[in-house]
Amino acid sequence: RFDDLAAIIKQSSTDYLKAHTCTEVKQNSYPPVNDYIARKLLPLDVALEDEWIQYLNRSKRVSLFAALQKDKLILLLGDAGQGKSLEMNNLAHALSGTACYPFLFRLRDYTGQEISELLPPGIESVPAHLRVLMFDGYDELTTNEASMFRKKIANYVSGTPGINIVISSRSNFCHTEKD
């Protein structure tokens, strides 16, 4: 068993995939992003600094894919039109066909459900470290929905050690949130 997502993604052995594929759950397949332009991300502590400090720390820029290999919980922040949804779509595509089980959910469709209710039946049979849940558009939630989502995602994460989660949002929306 690999606990490190990077090792799982890099593993090319057919035997590993056969041994760790959960037949009860169909893996989602996501199409490639047309005309994709690769973007790099900065860690939050660097991104909050002025442009000169960001420039000096440009070596810390990584792709979303690389960031997920390093951290299990990611908040992808950016201004309107900077490609957050495209990055989420590209990550879902990059994980398709690996030993991981990517799941991309648009939060504009969220109505207060438990996180487990948003997922395919049988997903709990997939080891948590192989699940990658991507929630796009936190900024599209109403204040009440955002509050519910924060509580429910926190409960889900605490009850599912090792889960990989990426949430995207406009940065100005998160600056107004208390949590």
Side-chain angles (χ1 to χ4, degrees), residues 49-138:
E49 295 289 344
D50 65 38
E51 289 179 19
W52 179 246
I53 300 297
Q54 289 179 26
Y55 176 77
L56 293 174
N57 285 285
R58 67 188 178 278
S59 64
K60 293 184 179 181
R61 295 177 184 165
V62 296
S63 68
L64 182 55
F65 189 83
L68 184 60
Q69 292 176 29
K70 183 179 178 233
D71 296 305
K72 292 196 167 291
L73 305 174
I74 296 174
L75 178 59
L76 175 62
L77 298 175
D79 293 334
Q82 286 191 319
K84 297 173 299 298
S85 294
L86 288 173
E87 283 301 315
M88 298 289 273
N89 289 334
N90 188 63
L91 179 62
H93 170 69
L95 293 171
S96 295
T98 69
C100 296
Y101 284 71
F103 176 78
L104 178 59
F105 185 81
R106 308 281 180 216
L107 286 172
R108 67 175 163 252
D109 300 325
Y110 182 73
T111 57
Q113 307 94 313
E114 295 295 330
I115 302 304
S116 59
E117 294 172 14
L118 303 174
L119 305 175
I123 194 72
E124 61 280 347
S125 68
V126 175
H129 68 281
L130 295 178
R131 293 182 241 162
V132 182
L133 311 183
M134 296 163 279
F135 297 96
D136 186 35
Y138 178 75

Side-chain angles (χ1 to χ4, degrees), residues 115-173:
I115 302 304
S116 59
E117 294 172 14
L118 303 174
L119 305 175
I123 194 72
E124 61 280 347
S125 68
V126 175
H129 68 281
L130 295 178
R131 293 182 241 162
V132 182
L133 311 183
M134 296 163 279
F135 297 96
D136 186 35
Y138 178 75
D139 54 287
E140 296 180 38
L141 298 172
T142 66
T143 302
N144 288 339
E145 290 168 341
S147 178
M148 280 190 294
F149 180 75
R150 284 192 309 273
K151 289 175 188 166
K152 292 181 180 188
I153 198 75
N155 285 338
Y156 187 80
V157 168
S158 69
T160 316
I163 192 78
N164 299 282
I165 296 184
V166 181
I167 300 172
S168 73
S169 180
R170 290 184 184 178
S171 48
N172 63 323
F173 184 83

